[in-house]
Structure formats: C-alpha cells, structure tokens
C-alpha cells in the first residue's frame, strides 16, 4: 500500500500567534528540535538537548490546530514532592541533584502524537484462539492408599477464520517524534481517554514540540496500528480470546490526520563533568524518569577526608607508641589509635568506590543522548 | 481522501467455509464448515429400496443386505484404526457427560408401518415387532462428542460363534461331562456394546527404602566358629518411570459382566471405523450407562496399578519398604466407541449361565458350571502324596532316623500339591462367576 495523499505541511515564519495561542516557531541550532513557544522562551535552553538555546526560526507545520490535548494533571505545586521522591536515596549525589534545583528548572512541554482516523475496507484471515479448561489428575500412593488431586489446566484451541471488514477507526495514535520510544520509556504510558478537545487556553506557558516525523513517514506505523485495531475487532467478532497470523488486504478511506498533545515537565541537573542530565516527569501521571547518578567527585572528597583522619590517627598512634617506651600504658593507647586509623582508612575506600559501582548499574539506559538526540 | 481497496462484492470466503455469527458490526466472520456427518445421529429406518422388506447389516456381505430379494449396499464408513479422533477432558464435556441420556424409556412411532413401540432404556436400535423394520439412532446424545464416533463392525458370523461355543463348552475337565451334549446355545444376540478408551502419558516418581543383600562373616560365640550370614543394607532411593497408556478399554455398560468382557479381550482397535448406522441395522446397540467420569475413575485405577508395578520393576531388588509414589497424568484423552459382542445365556440343571463372544475375533468367554466333585477329587489326589509320606515318615522317625527322608519329601509334595490345588480351586470359582 502506498502512502496516502496527505495535506502538505507549510513553512510557517515568525507569527504573533499559532493555533489560537501566542506561540512562535523556534528551534534549537544544536539538536534541530523545533518548538512552538511563548515569546519569553526564546533564548532559553532547548528542552530536548539542553545544549543549545532556542532561536526564532521558521517551522514546517500543519495549519489546523491539534485535535486533542491531555492537560497537565500534575501541577507545579505537586512537582516538588515528586522530585523529592525521585532524588531520595541517592548517596553522594551531585550537589545539583536536589528537588529545589530540579523544580526551578522544570519546563512544561507538550509533545505530539499523530491521531489517524481512517475507514478500513477489506478482507481478512487469521487464526483465532479459544480458551478452554481441561481436568487432569495427580495420583499419589502414600501409606498404602491412593490419593487423587485434580488439577484444572487452561488451554487454547486455534481455529482458522476469515471474513470481511468495513469499519472506521478514530484517533489511532502514532508516534510523531523520533524519540517517542525513549520518552514513553521514561515517562510511562499516557491515558488518551483523559485528553480533551484542544483548547489554546490550556497551553499556558508551555512549549509545544513540533512533529519531526511527518505523516508520510508515519504512515507505515499508522497502517500497523490500524491493522492491530482491525485484528482486535476481528478477534472480538469471532468471539475468540486471542488472535494470531492476522492478515488483512484492506483499502483505507477518508484518512484524517490530527495531533494529540501530551504533557510533561523537562528539568535537569549537572553531573560531575558539567553535563546536563535530563529528568522527565509525566504531566498526567507524575511518573518521573531519568538518570539518578552519584557524584564520583563527592566520593573522592569524602574518601579524602576519611583518609586524612586515618593518617592523623596513625601519626598520633605512632607518637603514643614512641612515648610508650617511657610510659608503658601509653603504648596501649597508641596501638588502639593505630587500629582505629586502619579502620577509618579502610572505610575511606567505600565512598571512593561506591559512586562508580552505583553509576555502573544506573547510567542512563532510558534516555541517552543518542536516544533523544539521534538527529545530531 | 480515498485509497483503492479490494472490492468486497467480489470477495469469496475460502472453500468449505461458512458464515458464523459476528459480535462486531461491520465485521463478517467465516469458519471452516464442520466435516459432514450426514444423518449419523438422526433416526434411520432400514428398508429395502427394491422390495420394501427390512434390511440389516450382513456380516458375510459386509454391507446392508435384504434377506428377501438379495439387494446389498456397501457400508459408508472409513477405517481409521487407532488414529480415531480422541477428546480431552474438558470441563464442558465432563459436565455434559454427567447428564446421561435423558429419558429412560420413550415411545417411538414407526415411520414404516405407523405402529407405536416402546424403546427400552439404553437401546440405540430397535426392530418394529409389526413390520420388522430396523431402526437405528434412537437416542440423542447430550453432546456431539458423547455420541459414538467409531465402532468395530461384526466380523464373525453367527454359525461360527455357535460352533466355537459348542467347542468351548466341551473344553475343560472339571466341568460336567454331559455339558456339551446337554446344552445347545443357538440363540446369540449380536449387540454393539459401549466402551470408553483412554490414553495418557504418565510420569511416575517413587521413593522407598531399598534393601540390598550382603553376605558377611561373623563369629558365633556359641559354636566358637566363624560363620556367614546374609544381611540387608537399607538405602533411601528415588526414581522416575515414564509410561504411556494407549487405548485402555473400559466398559461403558453395566448390563454385561465386566469380568466376562475382560476375558473377551483383546479387540483389534486397528479395525476401528467411523460410526455409521448401517453397521447397526438389525443389530442391538446400547448407549453407555457408565458415564465418562465414572469410567475414567475405573481407568485411572488400572493406570495407577500399572504405574505402581512399573515403579516396582524399576527397583533393582525385592526388598522394599516405605514405598511412596506419585503419578502425574498428562495429555489424558478419551473416545467413545461401540464394540461387537454376541450375548447368550443357557440353562444347566435349572441354573442360568452367561456366555459372550467377541464379534470381531470370535473369542468365547462366559460362565461354565463346575463339577465340584471332580475338583475336590483332584485336590485330594494332589494333597494325598504329601499326607501319605507324612504318615509313613512320622512312625519311622519314632523308630529310627530313616523317617526323616519321607517326611521331607512329603512336606515338599504337600506344598506343591497345595499350590496346584489352590489354582484349580480358583479357576473353578472363576469359571462359575459372572
């Protein structure tokens, strides 16, 4: 199936308002991410890469406003609690990794998904699975007598089915940005049923991310999503519990593409190397995600202090031991101090090693630079 | 915006598919049509298309034949053997199987002559007493799976059975000598009896204390000598045995003696064929009255013992104690079949005895009267040498040491005679038992 005819995007220059809100097209010269932002956002750090500054620039946009918007259910007041919970429990964390600094930098951003409406007309074939239960037995011979224990097992019977389908599907969601998988991995799932009709007043001071996947490119994924919806309908139609090997030969009618905007907060802290580490908070559910790193620099500092104390104890101990030649009881105190010096010295190894060990398992698998900035 | 799409008007479902109900608007659903089972579960009356006389399944012709004009038609059935479909123990089937066959007795309106006849309990077939037309499929099963799907047709003719029955009656020394001449069994009823077959894979795990014999030397303080003796070393051991049960037969009727039916085995299940009422025309056939769960309990009792024997066989010695085992049954399946059995009864000295014949192989089994005086005489003869040698040996022992030899030989003879006597007695009892 070829890509459908779609209304082309238009190059939009700097304007006073877009989609009913006072928004300007702006972009990041570093990561090339494009946003629609209130004018006061110009010059701020790019919420995507945090390396570049947002500059006014033309953007390829659809003229019509988004269809749905999931409003921020997590208000700024609740954000501090969420960030406090997120930062808790990281020993030797960077000085910048605090709820307060994360809250200060939190930027409300809406990111987009395509919503596809389409009529499907075609024929399908599949294997549909029907659950049923069977009774099985376990027989035990104990103390000269047989005992039976019956077990009920669930099984699945697969049967071939075929048929036709003529249905319309509304608001099938498809990724509109390249880092969609990384974003959902960090922020968790959104609930599209809580989205409302787009209302410019709900945008508030937030920036709107502009799709970097155009409908032409998103069409294969839309097709897959539509087929999945069709497979689910065919499963239900056949009264089955599961479906596999679903194949449909379908045409698509009256395709309609709009956007849905999903809310999130973007914030960051700087690590030992001065690199920003991005933290995302789902604006609907409050789930926060991002790297929680320990500071190796802080670890060295604590280790150094402990090593200094150990050295001091050792020197004192040696002095006491020397004095012990004259006053024997002092020698015992010297041995005690030397022992303490050994213990504190050994303890100094812990903060030296711990950040490395902790960070090794917790790097940033969910949102690496590569994952979010693949276009760099 | 519109894209080209297949024209639904030209779409045709795959061959042999039929529409089924859809639970979603705008979606049509087609499923493979069930394999045709035409009229196999509908009442059928057998009459000759040539002369209108009654027709019946004829063993010699291997088809449905008219005794009046000689018209014969082949039986439409496929030989499937042990490949015959098997079913799982689904909760749904087990629930339906508990329901039985409904009415115990019902009246049937003969569509051949119009007479009304009563159909006895469990009868699948009937012959109208007024027009002699043969009717099949008189009972509706509670579920498709619970109607007989396969059968083995009668393969041995009645004359052969009569001859073999006469030979069987004449066999055996502990029966009345005049049995074969005094009894004439000429009235056999060919009946298709219901049977359940069961399959299962079994994983049996056992644990026990197993004893190993060891010979050791020890010093006997009494005799002040070194001697040897056998001691048993006990070790805790475990093991696993995998078994496969294939087509375990369990009778589905209480109207025929289980003990005698077991003696008719084996049936050659490789000759199983798909059910067709043609094979039942003019013959009696019973529906099951031992339900599937009840039959499975009987089957499991047999399987358990087989598993236990297999576990014991896995143990390398005879010394076993604290034996425990579990048998996990998996892939349990069943099928419901009809097997051909000739039933007969005869009287001897006022007492009634049952006789059965395997309609497929001609094997005869049944009750046979016992001339108990012959049995007791044989037992007395078997025990006599031992007793006599004992009687001789005892006084000789009192006189001198010579008596020990006959006493020992007598004891051996008595034990051997006792074993043989017990076997003869058991056979005699079984011979009369139903």
């Amino acid at each position: 199936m070829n890509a459908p005819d779609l209304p082309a995007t238009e190059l939009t220059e700097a304007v006073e308002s877009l989609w009913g809100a006072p928004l300007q097209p702006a972009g990041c010269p570093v990561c090339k991410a494009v946003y629609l932002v209130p004018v006061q956002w110009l010059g701020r750090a790019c919420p995507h890469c945090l390396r570049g500054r947002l500059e006014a620039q033309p953007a390829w946009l659809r003229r019509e406003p988004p269809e749905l918007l999931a409003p921020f259910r997590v208000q700024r007041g609740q954000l501090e609690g969420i960030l406090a919970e997120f930062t808790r429990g990281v020993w030797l964390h960077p000085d910048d990794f605090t709820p307060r600094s994360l809250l200060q930098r939190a930027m409300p951003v809406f990111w987009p998904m395509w919503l596809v409406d389409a009529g499907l007309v075609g024929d399908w074939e599949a294997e549909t699975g029907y659950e049923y239960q069977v009774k099985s037995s376990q027989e035990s011979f104990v103390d000269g007598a047989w005992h039976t224990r019956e077990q009920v097992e669930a099984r699945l019977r697969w049967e071939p089915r075929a048929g036709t389908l003529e249905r319309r599907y509304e608001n099938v969601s498809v990724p509109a940005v390249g880092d969609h998988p990384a974003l959902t991995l960090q922020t968790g799932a959104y609930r599209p049923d809580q989205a409302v009709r787009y209302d410019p007043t709900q945008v508030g001071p937030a920036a709107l991310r502009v799709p970097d996947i155009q409908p032409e490119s998103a069409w294969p994924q839309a097709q897959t999503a539509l087929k999945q919806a069709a497979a689910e309908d065919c499963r239900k139609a056949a009264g089955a519990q599961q479906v596999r090997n679903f194949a449909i030969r379908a045409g698509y009618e009256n395709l309609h593409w709009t956007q849905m905007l999903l809310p999130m907060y973007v914030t960051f802290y700087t690590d030992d190397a001065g690199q920003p580490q991005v933290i995302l908070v789902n604006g609907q559910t409050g789930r926060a995600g991002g790297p929680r790193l320990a500071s190796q620099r802080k670890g060295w500092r604590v280790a150094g202090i402990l090593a200094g104390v150990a050295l001091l104890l050792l020197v004192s101990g040696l002095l006491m031991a020397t004095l012990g030649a004259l006053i024997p009881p002092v020698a015992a105190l010297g041995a005690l101090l030397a022992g303490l010096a050994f213990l504190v010295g050994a303890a100094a190894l812990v903060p030296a090693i711990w950040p490395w060990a902790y960070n090794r398992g917790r790097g940033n698998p969910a949102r690496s630079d590569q994952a979010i900035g693949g276009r760099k | 915006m519109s894209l080209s799409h297949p024209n639904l008007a030209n779409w045709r479902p795959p061959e042999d598919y039929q529409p089924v109900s859809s639970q979603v608007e705008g979606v049509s659903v087609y499923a493979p049509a069930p394999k045709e089972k035409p009229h196999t579960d509908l009442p059928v009356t057998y009459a000759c298309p040539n002369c209108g006389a009654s027709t019946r399944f004829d063993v010699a012709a291997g088809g449905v034949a008219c005794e009046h004009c000689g018209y014969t038609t082949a039986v439409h059935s496929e030989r499937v053997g042990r490949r015959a479909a098997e079913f799982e123990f689904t909760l749904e089937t087990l629930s339906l199987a508990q329901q039985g066959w409904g009415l115990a007795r019902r009246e049937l309106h003969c569509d051949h002559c119009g007479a009304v006849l009563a159909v006895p309990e469990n009868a699948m077939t009937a012959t109208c007493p007024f027009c002699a037309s043969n009717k099949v499929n008189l009972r509706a099963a509670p579920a498709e799976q619970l109607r007989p799907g396969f059968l083995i047709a009668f393969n041995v003719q009645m004359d052969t059975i009569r001859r073999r029955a006469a030979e069987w009656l004449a066999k055996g020394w502990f029966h009345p000598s005049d049995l074969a001449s005094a009894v004439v069994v000429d009235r056999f009823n060919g009946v298709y009896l219901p049977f359940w077959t069961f399959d299962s894979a079994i994983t049996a795990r056992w644990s026990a204390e197993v004893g190993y014999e060891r010979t050791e030397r020890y010093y006997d303080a009494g005799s002040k000598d070194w001697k040897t003796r056998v001691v048993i070393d006990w070790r805790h051991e475990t093991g696993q045995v995998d078994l496969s049960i294939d087509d375990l037969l369990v009778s589905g009727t209480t109207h025929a003696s289980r003990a005698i039916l077991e003696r008719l085995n084996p049936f050659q299940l490789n000759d199983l064929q798909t059910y067709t009422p043609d094979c039942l025309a003019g013959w009696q056939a019973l529906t099951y009255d031992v339900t599937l769960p009840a039959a499975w309990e009987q089957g499991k009792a047999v399987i358990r013992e087989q598993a236990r024997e297999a576990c014991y066989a896995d143990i390398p010695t005879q010394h076993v104690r604290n034996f425990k085992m579990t048998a996990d049954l998996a892939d349990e399946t069943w099928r419901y079949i009809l097997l051909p059995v000739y039933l007969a009864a005869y009287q001897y000295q006022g007492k009634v005895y049952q006789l059965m014949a395997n309609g497929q192989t001609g094997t005869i089994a049944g009750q046979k009267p016992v001339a108990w005086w012959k049995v007791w005489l044989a037992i007395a003869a078997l025990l006599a040498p031992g007793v006599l040698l004992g009687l001789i040996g005892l006084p000789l022992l009192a006189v001198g040491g010579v008596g020990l030899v006959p006493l020992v030989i007598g004891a051996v003879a008595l034990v051997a005679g006792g074993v043989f006597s017990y076997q003869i007695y058991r056979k005699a009892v079984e011979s009369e038992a139903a």
Side-chain angles (χ1 to χ4, degrees):
Chain A
M1 178 67 55
N2 295 324
D5 297 332
L6 297 162
T9 50
E10 295 175 8
L11 189 65
T12 306
E13 305 281 352
V15 289
E16 283 191 2
S17 75
L18 267 169
W19 299 342
L23 299 168
Q24 293 259 336
C28 171
V30 177
C31 70
K32 310 296 183 198
V34 181
Y35 290 87
L36 299 178
V37 295
V39 70
Q40 63 270 25
W41 274 65
L42 294 173
R44 284 192 192 173
C46 167
H48 184 244
C49 68
L50 300 166
R51 291 191 180 89
R53 299 271 161 193
L54 292 178
E55 296 172 359
Q57 66 165 61
W60 289 96
L61 288 174
R62 304 284 300 277
R63 264 287 166 206
E64 69 277 11
E67 183 182 349
L68 298 175
L69 176 146
F72 276 94
R73 287 183 173 266
V74 176
Q75 302 306 322
R76 242 188 138 74
Q78 301 164 274
L79 199 55
E80 187 168 7
I82 292 166
L83 292 169
E85 185 63 32
F86 183 72
T87 52
R88 187 170 298 148
V90 183
W91 185 47
L92 299 174
H93 59 75
D95 294 336
D96 200 28
F97 188 61
T98 62
R100 179 172 293 183
S101 58
L102 289 174
L103 182 65
Q104 277 173 356
R105 295 168 188 150
M107 297 173 274
V109 175
F110 283 103
W111 60 287
M113 283 191 80
W114 290 117
L115 293 179
V116 184
D117 303 338
L120 254 73
V121 182
D123 57 90
W124 60 275
E125 281 186 5
E127 284 183 276
T128 48
Y130 298 87
E131 288 174 1
Y132 65 99
Q133 291 180 309
V134 296
K135 199 179 261 189
S136 190
S137 304
Q138 188 191 58
E139 309 288 319
S140 307
F141 183 78
V142 180
D143 298 331
W146 284 101
H147 307 275
T148 299
R149 190 160 62 91
E150 291 191 331
Q151 296 161 322
V152 175
E153 295 172 9
R155 292 186 185 170
L156 204 58
R157 182 181 68 253
W158 292 99
E159 295 180 6
R161 292 286 185 274
T164 60
L165 177 138
E166 194 166 4
R167 282 180 70 76
R168 182 157 184 81
Y169 295 94
E170 306 279 347
N171 292 342
V172 174
S173 55
V174 183
V177 289
D179 54 337
H180 178 99
L183 289 173
T184 47
L185 189 64
Q186 266 187 282
T187 59
Y190 283 84
R191 292 193 52 186
D193 58 313
Q194 291 181 347
V196 296
R197 289 263 146 221
Y198 171 77
D199 176 1
T201 61
Q202 299 236 12
V203 173
L208 273 57
R209 176 99 177 262
V210 172
D212 54 32
I213 301 176
Q214 296 307 319
E216 292 83 352
S217 307
W219 173 238
Q221 275 188 285
Q223 232 178 342
T224 303
L226 286 165
K227 281 180 181 174
Q228 280 173 355
E232 182 60 11
D233 274 350
C234 292
R235 178 193 68 74
K236 284 183 193 161
Q241 285 75 47
Q242 294 195 32
V243 64
R244 72 180 183 190
N245 296 334
F246 181 81
I248 186 166
R249 207 159 45 107
Y252 299 86
E253 293 182 336
N254 301 320
L255 282 159
H256 184 230
W257 292 71
T258 54
Q259 285 181 55
M260 174 170 64
L261 300 177
L262 303 170
M264 79 177 165
Y265 290 100
V266 181
T267 184
F268 67 95
Y269 66 93
T270 50
D271 60 17
D272 284 353
Q275 293 297 313
Q277 297 290 337
V278 180
I279 306 298
L280 302 179
V281 181
N282 187 317
Q284 201 177 44
T285 64
R287 177 176 152 171
R292 300 163 78 232
L293 299 177
S295 168
Q296 185 65 59
R297 188 182 293 168
K298 206 180 223 182
W300 286 126
R301 201 159 58 217
V302 174
I305 291 166
L306 287 173
V309 171
L311 189 65
L312 197 66
L313 287 168
L314 185 66
V315 171
S316 308
L318 289 173
L319 280 174
M320 295 287 184
T322 312
L323 274 175
L326 300 172
I327 313 163
V330 177
L333 190 61
L336 185 68
L337 285 175
L340 267 177
F342 176 76
L343 288 177
V344 174
L349 290 174
V350 176
I353 294 169
W354 192 83
W356 168 79
Y358 179 83
N359 291 346
R360 195 177 53 160
R362 284 175 179 74
N364 189 4
R367 185 186 165 96
S368 65
D369 279 350
Q370 195 181 0
I372 64 167
R375 289 166 285 102
K376 278 189 287 185
Chain B
M1 177 188 329
S2 175
L3 299 171
S4 62
H5 60 77
N7 187 348
L8 289 187
N10 294 333
W11 182 81
R12 294 284 173 273
E15 203 177 335
D16 298 333
Y17 274 48
Q18 66 180 22
V20 295
S21 68
S22 167
Q23 296 172 25
V24 175
E25 196 183 335
V27 181
S28 71
V29 184
Y30 289 76
K35 287 194 176 167
E36 203 176 355
K37 292 170 181 164
H39 316 302
T40 52
D41 50 1
L42 296 174
V44 188
T45 297
Y46 282 83
C48 178
N50 279 351
C51 64
S54 176
T55 55
R56 70 193 304 269
F57 177 75
D58 186 275
V59 176
V64 178
C66 173
E67 291 176 349
H68 199 249
C69 70
Y71 169 83
T72 305
T73 180
V75 167
H76 297 290
S77 174
E78 184 191 354
R79 187 180 157 181
V80 288
R82 288 176 186 268
R83 290 183 292 109
E86 293 165 331
F87 301 99
E88 295 170 296
F89 285 88
T90 64
L91 295 188
E92 186 188 13
T93 308
L94 287 170
S95 168
L96 288 168
Q98 293 281 22
Q99 293 174 14
W101 289 74
L103 292 172
R105 197 174 184 88
R106 73 174 185 187
E107 290 190 333
L108 180 74
H109 191 88
C110 178
D111 58 358
H112 202 233
C113 70
V116 175
L117 53 149
V119 181
E121 183 184 10
N122 294 117
M124 284 180 71
T125 60
T127 299
C128 176
F130 302 99
C131 68
S133 63
N134 294 316
K135 298 166 194 316
V136 175
N137 289 343
L138 302 183
R139 285 273 179 261
E144 170 65 19
Q145 291 178 346
L146 293 168
R147 72 176 187 78
F150 307 95
L151 57 77
I152 293 176
F154 277 94
N155 192 38
V156 183
Q157 295 190 52
M158 195 83 80
D159 291 342
T160 309
I161 294 297
R162 283 196 195 102
R163 183 170 45 78
R164 290 195 182 178
E167 290 168 4
W168 179 81
L169 283 169
K171 271 186 191 167
W173 59 266
F174 55 71
H175 303 293
S177 307
D178 63 340
L179 184 63
S181 55
V183 171
V184 178
V185 190
D186 59 353
R187 189 179 162 77
F188 278 92
N189 287 320
V191 184
Y192 284 96
L193 292 182
F195 279 84
W196 303 97
T197 74
F198 297 110
D199 285 12
S200 178
I202 299 137
T203 304
R205 294 179 186 84
W206 60 267
S207 69
E209 285 182 73
V210 180
Y212 292 89
E213 291 181 2
R214 177 170 54 83
T215 306
E216 69 172 15
R217 294 191 75 215
Y218 70 102
Y219 184 74
D220 185 13
S223 62
K224 295 183 178 174
D225 193 13
W226 285 92
K227 293 184 175 177
T228 57
R229 65 183 173 194
V230 174
V231 293
I232 294 175
D233 295 329
W234 292 98
R235 290 187 219 149
H236 184 264
E237 290 190 3
T238 59
Q240 180 178 314
V241 179
D242 294 318
L243 282 178
S244 179
I245 301 291
D246 188 25
D247 289 329
L248 174 71
L249 270 180
V250 174
S251 168
T253 181
T254 54
H255 296 283
S257 158
R258 269 179 67 189
I260 301 175
L261 281 175
E262 277 176 17
R263 278 182 258 158
L264 291 184
N265 277 328
F267 283 91
Q268 304 301 325
L269 296 185
N270 289 328
D271 289 339
L272 274 175
Q273 61 189 79
T274 53
Y275 173 82
T276 169
D278 293 353
C279 291
L280 274 62
W283 300 77
Q284 292 179 41
L286 297 183
T287 60
Y288 66 80
D289 58 359
V290 177
T291 61
L292 174 61
W296 179 225
E297 284 305 316
Q298 291 178 24
K300 276 197 293 188
V302 175
I303 289 171
R304 284 193 296 236
E305 289 311 311
Q306 287 188 10
R308 186 161 67 150
E309 284 170 16
C311 287
Y312 267 99
D314 195 39
I315 298 172
T317 78
Q318 298 294 313
H319 306 289
V320 181
R321 67 185 185 191
N322 293 330
F323 176 83
K324 290 176 189 169
M325 67 168 285
T326 60
D328 283 319
L329 277 63
D331 302 329
E332 301 105 311
T333 55
W334 59 273
R335 66 164 98 82
Y336 174 40
I337 60 174
L338 295 178
L339 296 179
V341 175
Y342 287 104
L343 302 178
Y346 65 91
Q347 280 198 352
Y348 181 78
Q349 293 184 350
K351 199 175 169 188
V352 178
Y353 296 90
Q354 288 182 47
L355 191 62
M356 295 187 200
N358 184 320
Q360 183 193 25
T361 63
T363 303
I364 308 284
Q367 294 171 282
K368 231 196 270 192
V370 173
W372 281 103
W373 65 270
K374 290 185 183 176
V375 174
W376 295 126
L377 196 64
I379 289 172
L382 284 166
L383 296 177
V387 174
L388 277 174
L389 284 167
L391 289 174
I392 294 165
L394 276 173
L396 285 175
L397 194 66
V399 176
V402 198
L404 194 62
V405 176
L407 261 182
V408 170
I409 297 171
V412 171
L414 197 64
V415 170
V419 170
F420 281 117
S421 298
Y422 173 74
Q423 285 182 348
I424 289 170
Y425 177 79
R426 196 166 55 85
K427 273 192 173 181
V429 170
E430 278 177 6
S431 178
E432 281 196 325

